[in-house]
Amino acid sequence: MGAGIVEVFARNGIPVVAVEISEAALERGRAHLTGSTDRAVARGKLAEADRDALLGRVTFAVGLDALRSVDLVVEAVPERLDLKRRLFAELDRICRPEAILATNTSSLSVTEIAVATTRPAQVIGLHFFNPAPVMKLVEVVRTVVTSADVVADVEALCGRLGKVDVTIGDRAGFIANALLFGYLNQAIGMYEARYASREDIDAAMKLGCGLPMGPLALLDLIGLDTAYEILETMYRRGGRDRRHAPVPLLRQMVTAGLLGRKSGRGFYTYERPGSAKLVPDEHTPNPADGAGREIAKVGVVGTGPLAAGLAEHLAKAGYQVVPATADVLAPLADVDLVVEAVDDEPYAKTAVLAGLDEVCQPGVVLATTTSTLPVIELAMATGRPADVVGLHFFGPDAAGPLVEIVRTIRTSAQTTDTARALSAALGRTGVVCGDRAGFIVNALLFPYLNDAVRMLEAGYSTVEDIDHAMKLGCGCPSGPFELLRTVGLEVALTIQRRLYQESREPGLAPAPLLEQLVTAHAEV
Ligand SMILES: NC(=O)c1ccc[n+]([C@@H]2O[C@H](COP(=O)([O-])OP(=O)(O)OC[C@H]3O[C@@H](n4cnc5c(N)ncnc54)[C@H](O)[C@@H]3O)[C@@H](O)[C@H]2O)c1
């Protein structure tokens, strides 16, 4: 983060003194800066002369003495309170009395850092996002003692840096990380529980929500040690919400030196430390594995937009499509696979699955598009649960690029492979996951939306600033409240209730404000 922040200042014409703890660390920082600016030149985003001018504005030094005459310090040392407090006490001694001391902490109390100095009114949070040169947002964190002049100066500085700032109080995780880290931690939990593979979790969130990267790839970028410290602090400061208690695997990975991109290995393996380039490892799926059964003729049951959309996409992909209704399943006697897309209602779905069991030949794959029922309940309505799989398409007519393939505890590997091959033939990315409420996408997305409603309810920030923070700080295509408006509050509440009822996780209980808005037929 330090190197990224140096680049932001230097790029905007401001001379910077880049300080590290040792020559080796300074060299790493310098390499990060030159690597980043060289890439910007190669991509045509920065002229060579501007790159040289940028680098000319940076002085590199080991030790804090080089900071005697600066106007502002941005601290970006590891996320540990004792370390930051010691550093600020030292900066307070070394820097000019007028200098502003800012911390880039993600989760620690800016107030506790400020009171380690004799100038707490001049201490402020200046929280950049990773990668700092790219992400537009800066969270400006004022404590109860930060002076109004300092806040105004720092806000003006953000403008000079081409950043958009939101100014907020001193609460664990501020806006963006308070919403992001519950989601990231939950994704680690899914991976740890082998609910889905790392590739599938990441692909699901990229394609299902339009995010620039999946959660596990993002954790590798953030650094797993930093992520661990942030979660620990958020758990302690943020009301001991179990959603923030670091998943045990994270600690194990940090202990094992798997820190993400910076060490060359985290959830994924990279070409070398500091590189963004992925290389295959022992967990990389082999595309040649498991082709599944040969499928030529596909039955589609249902009369709604999903069934119609599916029939059209399947036909375009070259399958022979046999349409059927829930009442008349006889035409499906000789198909290889059936997708049922009737009303998502237990009685209707169970009846269709039982009917298909009677009509279809042995070995036919029976796929259900349910998004609200456990797939195993439908599978057990047949005498062949090994052949039953969930296929959760996105968009009302299945036009989305993602398909969640839900394998129950009885689904055979061959059935799952067949579903993956079908998804690929449809030009969709199929991700395989377990049979739990919300599958991958909704299970990760809706608790995050619910957390945003809770934050609003607590009066910490506004709808606009929360939306802004998530778009500009995390690259979300829309803010949580924009998304809630698109999805509909009632749908969001129904999904959240199901997630809560299944997990009984207190942190997943629907936000009271969400319940009230739905009861009052109000918008947010
Ligand atoms: N990683 C992210 O995505 C991210 C995003 C926003 C904010 N932050 C925050 O930025 C801070 C740094 O995080 P990071 O991920 O860059 O950590 P990091 O561990 O990658 O880098 C920390 C750097 O601080 C240096 N350092 C340690 N002690 C020092 C000292 N006494 N003086 C000078 N330098 C010292 C280390 O040598 C190291 O290079 C943390 O507070 C973190 O919460 C991180």
Side-chain angles (χ1 to χ4, degrees):
M1 281 307 291
I5 295 167
V6 165
E7 182 178 336
V8 170
F9 279 91
R11 204 179 250 228
N12 289 283
I14 302 174
V16 194
V17 185
V19 164
E20 258 289 359
I21 198 168
S22 65
E23 285 294 346
L26 195 62
E27 216 24 70
R28 272 202 309 275
R30 193 199 301 264
H32 194 107
L33 179 65
T34 47
S36 169
T37 48
D38 286 352
R39 278 196 302 278
V41 170
R43 287 199 200 116
K45 293 196 169 156
L46 186 67
E48 248 174 77
D50 291 340
R51 186 236 354 241
D52 297 344
L54 185 165
L55 295 176
R57 288 185 201 106
V58 185
T59 316
F60 294 89
V62 172
L64 302 180
D65 277 341
L67 301 175
R68 282 186 190 286
S69 61
V70 301
D71 301 316
L72 168 88
V73 179
V74 183
E75 163 279 313
V77 304
E79 187 76 343
R80 291 205 321 269
L81 185 61
D82 58 331
L83 177 64
K84 294 205 192 255
R85 280 175 54 92
R86 259 188 284 124
L87 188 85
F88 271 72
E90 227 177 305
L91 287 170
D92 189 33
R93 270 204 319 280
I94 291 171
C95 297
R96 297 189 305 138
E98 312 79 64
I100 295 173
L101 306 181
T103 172
N104 183 48
T105 182
S106 305
S107 59
L108 295 167
S109 161
V110 179
T111 314
E112 285 190 54
I113 295 170
V115 295
T117 73
T118 60
R119 56 177 105 182
Q122 286 157 245
V123 177
I124 193 163
L126 196 53
H127 185 231
F128 289 86
F129 287 77
N130 195 353
V134 178
M135 304 313 286
K136 279 267 171 253
L137 183 74
V138 176
E139 288 173 323
V140 175
V141 185
R142 66 166 132 62
T143 73
V144 287
V145 288
T146 315
S147 93
D149 289 354
V150 168
V151 174
D153 286 352
V154 166
E155 286 173 344
L157 176 68
C158 290
R160 257 180 91 188
L161 297 176
K163 298 292 184 193
V164 175
D165 56 288
V166 292
T167 302
I168 41 185
D170 186 13
R171 191 177 125 148
F174 317 126
I175 298 178
N177 284 350
L179 298 182
L180 181 69
F181 272 82
Y183 151 76
L184 294 179
N185 200 36
Q186 198 186 336
I188 303 171
M190 278 184 176
Y191 177 68
E192 186 191 57
R194 296 171 195 263
Y195 180 70
S197 70
R198 61 186 185 186
E199 285 83 2
D200 282 0
I201 293 171
D202 280 349
M205 296 315 288
K206 273 174 74 172
L207 299 172
C209 300
L211 295 173
M213 20 178 23
L216 301 176
L218 177 57
L219 280 157
D220 276 357
L221 170 69
I222 290 170
L224 303 195
D225 49 346
T226 302
Y228 178 81
E229 294 295 341
I230 293 173
L231 281 166
E232 266 292 315
T233 316
M234 295 216 354
Y235 177 73
R236 271 186 280 107
R237 284 185 73 207
R240 301 191 180 259
D241 181 348
R242 278 192 16 204
R243 278 170 48 70
H244 293 138
V247 167
L249 176 67
L250 185 58
R251 171 97 194 218
Q252 292 160 25
M253 291 177 76
V254 173
T255 307
L258 309 178
L259 305 183
R261 283 190 195 179
K262 63 178 150 189
S263 71
R265 181 145 192 189
F267 289 100
Y268 296 91
T269 303
Y270 300 86
E271 199 172 35
R272 61 191 140 69
S275 162
K277 188 159 180 245
L278 285 177
V279 292
D281 60 21
E282 69 273 24
H283 300 301
T284 304
N286 182 352
D289 281 352
R293 293 177 198 157
E294 198 64 43
I295 304 292
K297 209 167 178 182
V298 178
V300 177
V301 188
T303 51
L306 179 59
L310 279 173
E312 192 186 322
H313 301 311
L314 286 160
K316 267 197 202 137
Y319 292 103
Q320 193 185 336
V321 178
V322 184
T325 65
D327 305 328
V328 189
L329 298 173
L332 304 179
D334 65 343
V335 298
D336 306 310
L337 181 146
V338 182
V339 189
E340 73 72 19
V342 304
D343 278 352
D344 209 354
E345 190 273 314
Y347 183 76
K349 291 268 193 212
T350 313
V352 167
L353 266 292
L356 290 173
D357 191 30
E358 276 177 28
V359 168
C360 297
Q361 294 166 0
V364 171
V365 170
L366 305 179
T368 168
T369 58
T370 185
S371 61
T372 62
L373 300 168
V375 176
I376 189 66
E377 281 183 21
L378 300 175
M380 295 312 287
T382 74
R384 46 174 115 178
D387 300 331
V388 179
V389 69
L391 284 183
H392 183 222
F393 291 90
F394 284 71
D397 54 0
L402 181 71
V403 187
E404 286 174 318
I405 299 169
V406 186
R407 59 165 149 65
T408 74
I409 47 168
R410 299 288 298 271
T411 308
S412 74
Q414 197 188 29
T415 302
T416 311
D417 290 341
T418 310
R420 235 195 229 277
L422 181 89
S423 306
L426 284 171
R428 309 283 189 277
T429 298
V431 296
V432 178
C433 64
D435 185 20
R436 285 175 56 163
F439 309 138
I440 300 176
V441 173
N442 286 354
L444 290 176
L445 176 65
F446 282 85
Y448 148 77
L449 298 178
N450 192 50
D451 286 347
V453 178
R454 267 184 214 283
M455 181 177 277
L456 182 69
E457 193 170 14
Y460 181 60
S461 187
T462 62
V463 165
E464 291 71 26
D465 278 358
I466 295 173
D467 275 354
H468 240 69
M470 297 319 291
K471 285 196 286 191
L472 301 179
C474 304
C476 301
S478 45
F481 293 103
E482 290 170 336
L483 204 52
L484 278 166
R485 264 176 244 131
T486 311
V487 174
L489 295 181
E490 199 164 348
V491 173
L493 179 60
T494 307
I495 294 175
Q496 193 60 32
R497 277 194 185 135
R498 274 217 338 280
L499 294 173
Y500 175 57
Q501 277 159 8
E502 187 181 79
S503 67
R504 305 298 160 113
E505 173 63 55
L508 295 189
L513 177 61
L514 182 59
E515 306 251 16
Q516 290 159 19
L517 288 167
V518 170
T519 307
H521 302 294
E523 278 298 323
V524 70

